[in-house]
Amino acid sequence: MAVIRPFFSIRPSEEKADKIAALPYDVYNREEAKAAVANHPLSFLNIDRAETQFDDTVDTYDERVYQKAHDLLWDMVEKGDFIREKKRCYYIYELTMNGRTQTGITACASIDDYANGVIKKHENTRAEKEADRIHHVDTCNAQTGPIFLAYRSNKRINEVVDRVKSSDTPVYDFVADDGIRHCVWVIDKDADIAVIEQAFSSIGEIYIADGHHRAASAVKVGFMRREANPDYTGEEEFNYFLSVLFPDDRLMIMDYNRAVKDLNGMSKEDFLAKVCEIFDVSEIEHASDQSEEQLRPKQKGEYSMFLGEKWYLCRLKEADKNPDPVKGLDVSLLQDLLLDPVLGIKDPKTDDRIDFIGGIRGLKELERRVHTDCAVAFAMYPTSIGELFAVADAGLLMPPKSTWFEPKLRSGLFIHEI
């Protein structure tokens, strides 16, 4: 059973939420972060990337950076930019992009569920990437970026969510600079809280959809606090980590596309001949007159390839389909059938001849890359949430760059003090 509990949130005052909410810290490099916070003193990115408050002679991981993040956060709380919830609540967090809405529950998940495998993972994490967020969470004494979790849809939770949305006024309702609409409702009625908590306790598995490193960092801080407090009871806030949980039927994964910088010594004609040996290939006629949606692959086992100013539809041959939850993924099949044996991409995690392009950037970005620094690009059919669940249930790992989640959860809308 999963322990998903309400919490005492620290959250923006209603009139400042749109100014505080910021994209996650890891979508920016240092230069981009500095540009993003310029003239935006309330942006939570000032806290998430506090090196922006120093000149470039101060290292990103300098102790002063973490202390600055702490001081900025708690100064804003003291000034009233944030408010403290008076009781433990759940929150409905709804994001709308291009007319499509996904709605989740903001809550706290158990570090023990993470450690014991009730919360399932599909990626490995690297200690060097965790170290920064461990230091940030520990110094700030707060979790500031929610982990993106998923679960199999539950009727009782859906009923509460739909009723609260229809009857209550959201505490936040704003459209961010990137056009994403963010709405938040507070679930504060005891009966509703009890229904949600009990419903989650009956759900067998919770899955990390996005944010593996943030999750691992928050959990490790929790276990550090346990070591420092050997008389802990398990009820302390450090035993839980901030999350937004989405039901699988209200969640969308976007494509994560590939572009390769050369054809491994082949001409375009020779490479196309190799592709035709592996896939059933047809040129997409009048591609320049078609929309991106028309050019995209329509089902699992299909790939759209841009080569030599032309789009091709490549269909996997029946004999090459694989029931294995990892080897049967479209990203795995492309790697194993074409990228490795034909283009020589042995390890896509380390080979600098391949780039990965999130679906949010569109197919025009694939064309642009082929026109500039790449030789061929592949548009993928998105990995499904069911495939993600199957990989995690089998205790396996996804290949690199298998899923692209959009829209991104904003940091700063919910803070969990530990």
Side-chain angles (χ1 to χ4, degrees):
M1 58 177 274
V3 178
I4 304 296
R5 75 175 192 174
F7 69 109
F8 292 102
S9 179
I10 297 172
R11 58 183 180 85
S13 60
E14 292 186 25
E15 69 277 8
K16 294 181 179 178
D18 61 329
K19 301 175 183 64
I20 289 174
L23 284 167
Y25 75 97
D26 52 359
V27 305
Y28 301 96
N29 61 32
R30 182 167 182 162
E31 183 179 354
E32 291 167 341
K34 288 177 70 174
V37 302
N39 302 314
H40 295 284
L42 292 180
S43 170
F44 203 79
L45 193 61
N46 290 287
I47 296 167
D48 256 352
R49 297 291 296 270
E51 72 270 25
T52 58
Q53 310 303 301
F54 299 90
D55 63 44
D56 290 346
T57 62
V58 176
D59 187 79
T60 295
Y61 309 112
D62 190 289
E63 182 62 39
R64 289 171 290 176
V65 170
Y66 299 100
Q67 188 60 46
K68 185 67 172 179
H70 169 279
D71 295 346
L72 286 171
L73 170 60
W74 296 108
D75 181 60
M76 290 179 72
V77 174
E78 182 70 24
K79 289 191 303 185
D81 297 325
F82 290 93
I83 60 174
R84 290 179 179 271
E85 207 72 72
K86 292 182 171 60
K87 67 177 292 186
R88 293 186 185 277
C89 299
Y90 291 113
Y91 301 85
I92 299 169
Y93 183 13
E94 182 176 271
L95 303 94
T96 303
M97 181 182 76
N98 298 331
R100 189 187 184 281
T101 294
Q102 61 185 44
T103 306
I105 297 281
T106 305
C108 280
S110 164
I111 66 172
D112 289 313
D113 284 349
Y114 178 96
N116 296 333
V118 173
I119 296 175
K120 298 191 174 186
K121 317 161 191 67
H122 63 83
E123 287 182 10
N124 278 330
T125 56
R126 302 204 311 268
E128 65 273 18
K129 288 190 68 175
E130 294 173 15
D132 167 57
R133 286 302 102 176
I134 289 172
H135 204 167
H136 191 276
V137 170
D138 196 36
T139 303
C140 288
N141 202 41
Q143 298 152 358
T144 60
I147 313 307
F148 195 141
L149 302 181
Y151 63 96
R152 291 182 175 87
S153 187
N154 180 279
K155 181 180 178 182
R156 289 179 294 162
I157 296 173
N158 292 343
E159 287 174 347
V160 173
V161 169
D162 293 341
R163 186 178 69 255
V164 171
K165 282 176 54 181
S166 64
S167 62
D168 294 358
T169 301
V171 292
Y172 308 137
D173 185 351
F174 64 90
V175 177
D177 292 343
D178 57 3
I180 307 300
R181 183 181 180 186
H182 300 263
C183 295
V184 172
W185 291 260
V186 181
I187 300 177
D188 57 1
K189 293 182 175 62
D190 291 342
D192 290 338
I193 290 172
V195 168
I196 292 174
E197 193 161 14
Q198 199 284 325
F200 273 120
S201 73
S202 69
I203 292 174
E205 300 89 13
I206 305 290
Y207 301 83
I208 298 178
D210 200 15
H212 281 76
H213 284 91
R214 273 172 286 157
S217 301
V219 169
K220 287 183 177 179
V221 172
F223 282 108
M224 287 166 49
R225 296 289 178 98
R226 285 184 174 184
E227 289 184 12
N229 298 273
D231 296 328
Y232 75 90
T233 67
E235 287 300 309
E236 299 87 355
E237 293 301 324
F238 58 70
N239 295 287
Y240 298 87
F241 62 94
L242 181 64
S243 306
V244 183
L245 300 99
F246 291 90
D248 58 346
D249 59 357
R250 303 189 185 190
L251 191 60
M252 181 181 71
I253 302 177
M254 296 187 73
D255 43 311
Y256 215 148
N257 302 315
R258 276 81 171 126
V260 181
K261 295 182 179 179
D262 62 69
L263 298 179
N264 202 24
M266 289 176 282
S267 67
K268 293 175 185 174
E269 293 75 19
D270 289 343
F271 174 68
L272 181 59
K274 289 283 189 183
V275 175
C276 289
E277 292 175 9
I278 300 166
F279 300 100
D280 294 324
V281 180
S282 58
E283 182 181 341
I284 301 175
E285 297 182 357
H286 310 295
S288 60
D289 299 327
Q290 298 196 42
S291 67
E292 288 202 2
E293 194 58 38
Q294 291 172 307
L295 295 175
R296 292 180 183 277
K298 301 298 188 295
Q299 62 185 359
K300 182 174 169 56
E302 290 186 350
Y303 309 82
S304 295
M305 178 179 72
F306 189 64
L307 172 73
E309 301 299 321
K310 294 180 180 179
W311 280 100
Y312 299 86
L313 181 63
C314 305
R315 291 189 177 90
L316 195 66
K317 294 180 179 179
E318 191 66 32
D320 290 319
K321 295 179 180 178
N322 194 317
D324 182 272
V326 173
K327 292 185 178 298
L329 295 170
D330 279 4
V331 291
S332 298
L333 290 161
L334 184 69
Q335 173 64 31
D336 294 343
L337 295 173
L338 181 65
L339 298 183
D340 178 358
V342 176
L343 290 175
I345 307 291
K346 300 296 181 184
D347 186 352
K349 290 184 290 189
T350 59
D351 197 318
D352 60 8
R353 294 171 54 231
I354 187 169
D355 274 349
F356 302 93
I357 301 165
I360 190 65
R361 304 187 70 176
L363 300 193
K364 290 297 181 185
E365 178 63 12
L366 300 187
E367 293 183 359
R368 187 192 72 80
R369 292 299 301 273
V370 171
H371 290 149
T372 53
D373 64 337
C374 290
V376 64
F378 300 90
M380 312 294 295
Y381 186 73
T383 301
S384 72
I385 193 68
E387 288 176 314
L388 185 153
F389 285 2
V391 170
D393 285 341
L396 301 172
L397 302 176
M398 293 280 237
K401 313 298 184 184
S402 296
T403 56
W404 181 278
F405 286 92
E406 199 75 36
K408 304 295 185 187
L409 305 178
R410 287 304 193 273
S411 295
L413 285 179
F414 310 97
I415 296 166
H416 177 223
E417 184 177 10
I418 61 169

